């Protein structure tokens, strides 16, 4: 076994030694790897000179696997063993399986980690394993091109990726033997590629139209940090839909009512070629077995206009969510192959009232931004003035009594971050506490996403509210969360690394955000109701405990008045009307106060027993 080498002191990190680091855009359709050489970021090609690696893996019966172009070519002939669009499944749970079943041709089986796994000739493959195969291919490409071992990579993820999806991405990198410097959100990477982090403070829009998905992100640059003001998107809108629109038109021209599967494939391929040609020409010649002819750009524009409109409606909604108008946007960055389409550029320019940034290849812009970050993070630019920071996309919090969520770290907090908050017990003698970690903007547990639960035990019995439980939320630079809870008098501690139950998708995330905007008022009322309920329950709890000990201090009439009031509040608690509960509670409060006063007199001033309390009426 080889011995590990240790350098002489002071020589190990020679100042000009360049460390190999890459940025990786792990895309739904295509993936890329980029690096900074001689101060310039560029993407790396394979031996055939191709930069884009189709995000497709094919598993063969002989135990080998193919990644990329060749695998993509086999997708129709060997669909079950050829995995495409795996990114849509990263960090997803079995709960999503039904929906996914209709969207994908694959057979799924639950894996041990609780994610769906693809059933292939090589056995079950989880989305993490498939992604790892894509990452390993890019790692090899980089090491071959750059001639050395990679010190680290920055991998991009969509802005709306939640903890589970980020963790799955990180797991895939680990499996591929790729040290992750950090995960970076795709729109932030695109903004960095254009150097917007070095420019004026303000709000930028990142318009990302790829093969199958559309994403819009509004980022605000403030003190060198990009905050995500809003995200929006459509998980089923992209260049593939442009292809479909052309294919449908072709079917009409060729009078093909029910094309066979092979005719369908030919139609889609011809459509895609024509579409891409129309980016540079005003007319594309299409040559099908059943039909030959021209597709004019004007005709193409008519076919896709409704799809472009759909994307712009999403932009409008995102602006509204962030309470902005298009005039507030400083720069618009174009990302994704489909933003090459002239009509898309034209409509985006019209919508935002400015020319979008398109000078960097929209396929490569995310990988290039990631490479620039990787170069800084690995230490190649010791004088780089500022490290670009990221923020958490959705607030993190804990469940408190009554199903309320107490936010511990609000969304858009810069990471890494540590926040400490103290909580206490609800009941006398409580010895354990259930810690429920949630993510989302809403006030009620049921409206947020459950990330993890654990129990802190060994709390010494004390009266309610006396125990001090210190809860620490820590989010590392990749947005991964760990939570610990410590009982302060004993030091008893429990903690959890949040590897959440899988199952939230991008629509859910944007829905959670949108709902939080829309239901702020309803939430405020719901919160008030819950708070009223908790206060009432606490009051009942306290009075009942007191009665168990000191009911003898009350005469019969006093006792029945008190019990009557308790009963009223108990019944009122079944109501969902806050004012009804409040009224019952306020009726009980003076009785309770008087009883408490009498108990105090009894306990502290025994000598004064028998003293008539005027409050008791
Ligand atoms: P993803 O983000 O989903 O991985 P990409 O950003 O790689 O996707 O974009 C792929 C889409 O871009 C495909 O639909 C492809 O046809 C389209 N595309 C690529 N080049 C062009 C072009 N020159 N003109 C129009 N569309 C293009
Ligand atoms: Mg993309």
């Amino acid at each position: 076994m080889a011995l590990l080498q240790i350098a002489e002191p002071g020589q190990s990190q020679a100042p000009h030694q360049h460390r190999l680091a890459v940025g990786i855009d792990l895309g739904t359709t295509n993936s890329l790897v980029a690096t900074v050489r001689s101060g310039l970021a560029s993407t790396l090609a394979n031996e055939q000179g191709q930069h884009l690696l189709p995000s497709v893996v094919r598993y063969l019966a002989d135990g080998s696997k193919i990644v990329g172009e060749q695998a993509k070519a086999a997708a129709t002939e060997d669909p079950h063993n050829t995995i495409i669009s795996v990114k849509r499944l990263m960090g997803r749970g079995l709960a999503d399986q039904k929906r996914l079943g209709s969207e994908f041709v694959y057979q799924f089986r639950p894996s041990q980690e609780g994610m769906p796994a693809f059933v292939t000739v090589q056995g079950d493959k989880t989305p993490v394993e498939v992604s790892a195969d894509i990452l390993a291919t890019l790692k090899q490409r980089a090491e071959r091109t750059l001639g050395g071992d990679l010190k680290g990579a920055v991998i991009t993820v969509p802005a709306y990726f939640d903890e589970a999806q980020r963790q799955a991405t990180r797991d895939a990198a680990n499996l591929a033997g790729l040290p992750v410097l950090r995960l970076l959100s795709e729109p932030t990477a695109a903004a960095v590629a254009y150097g917007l982090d070095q420019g004026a403070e303000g709000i930028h829009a990142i318009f990302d139209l790829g093969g199958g998905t559309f994403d819009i992100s509004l980022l605000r640059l403030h003190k060198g940090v990009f905050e995500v003001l809003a995200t929006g998107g459509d998980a089923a809108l992209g260049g593939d839909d442009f292809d479909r629109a052309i294919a449908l038109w072709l079917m009409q021209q060729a009078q093909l009512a029910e094309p066979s599967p092979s005719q369908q494939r030919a139609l889609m391929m011809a459509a895609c070629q024509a579409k891409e040609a129309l980016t540079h020409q005003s007319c594309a010649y299409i040559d099908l077995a059943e039909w030959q002819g021209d597709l004019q750009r004007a005709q193409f524009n008519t076919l896709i206009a409704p799809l472009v409109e759909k994307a712009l409606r999403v932009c409008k909604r995102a602006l509204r969510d962030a309470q902005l108008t298009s005039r507030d946007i400083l720069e618009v960055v174009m990302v994704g192959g489909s933003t090459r389409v002239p009509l898309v550029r034209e409509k985006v320019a019209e919508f935002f009232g400015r020319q979008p940034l398109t000078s960097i290849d929209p396929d490569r812009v995310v990988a290039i931004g990631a490479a620039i970050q990787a170069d800084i993070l690995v230490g190649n630019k010791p004088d780089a003035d500022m490290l670009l920071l990221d923020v958490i996309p959705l607030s993190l919090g804990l469940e408190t009594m009554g199903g309320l969520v107490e936010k511990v770290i609000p969304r858009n907090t810069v990471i890494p971050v540590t926040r400490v908050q103290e909580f206490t017990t609800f009941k006398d003698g409580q010895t354990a506490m259930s810690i429920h970690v949630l993510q989302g903007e809403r006030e009620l547990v049921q409206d947020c996403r459950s990330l993890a639960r654990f129990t802190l035990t060994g709390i010494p019995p004390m009266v309610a509210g006396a125990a001090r439980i210190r809860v620490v939320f820590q989010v590392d630079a990749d947005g991964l969360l760990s939570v610990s809870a410590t009982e302060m008098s004993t030091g008893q501690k429990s903690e959890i690394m949040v590897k959440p139950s899988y199952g939230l998708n991008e629509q859910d995330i944007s829905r959670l955000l949108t709902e939080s905007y829309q239901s702020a008022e309803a939430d405020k009322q719901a919160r008030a109701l819950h708070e009223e309920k908790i206060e009432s329950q606490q009051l009942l709890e306290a009075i009942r405990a007191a009665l168990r000990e000191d009911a003898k201090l009350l005469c019969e009439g006093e006792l029945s008045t008190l019990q009557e009031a308790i009963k009223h509040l108990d019944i009122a608690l079944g109501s969902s009307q806050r004012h009804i509960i409040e009224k019952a509670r306020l009726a009980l409060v003076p009785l309770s106060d008087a009883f408490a006063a009498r108990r105090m007199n009894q306990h502290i001033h025994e000598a004064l027993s028998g003293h008539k309390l005027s409050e008791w009426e």
Side-chain angles (χ1 to χ4, degrees), residues 380-414:
N380 286 335
K381 286 178 86 177
D383 51 344
D385 35 332
M386 216 181 310
L387 258 194
L388 186 78
L389 298 169
D390 218 342
V391 295
I392 57 166
L394 291 170
S395 303
L396 295 164
L398 277 190
E399 172 170 354
T400 60
M401 278 309 300
L404 293 181
V405 180
E406 178 68 23
K407 286 180 189 149
V408 179
I409 307 182
R411 86 191 196 92
N412 280 330
T413 300
V414 175

Side-chain angles (χ1 to χ4, degrees), residues 25-32 52-53 55 85 87-88 186 208-215 238-243 271-280 300 335-342 361-364:
D25 172 4
L26 186 58
T28 311
T29 320
N30 296 304
S31 296
L32 285 120
L52 290 177
L53 176 74
S55 305
S85 297
K87 187 172 176 180
R88 287 177 185 261
E186 288 162 11
D208 182 349
L209 190 62
T213 56
F214 169 61
D215 295 301
D240 300 347
D241 299 288
F242 295 179
D243 300 349
C272 185
Q273 277 167 7
K275 171 189 75 177
E276 297 190 1
L278 287 173
T279 290
H280 308 287
F300 170 61
V335 182
S338 300
T339 60
R340 289 204 182 84
V341 173
D361 183 335
D363 289 327
R364 305 186 193 182

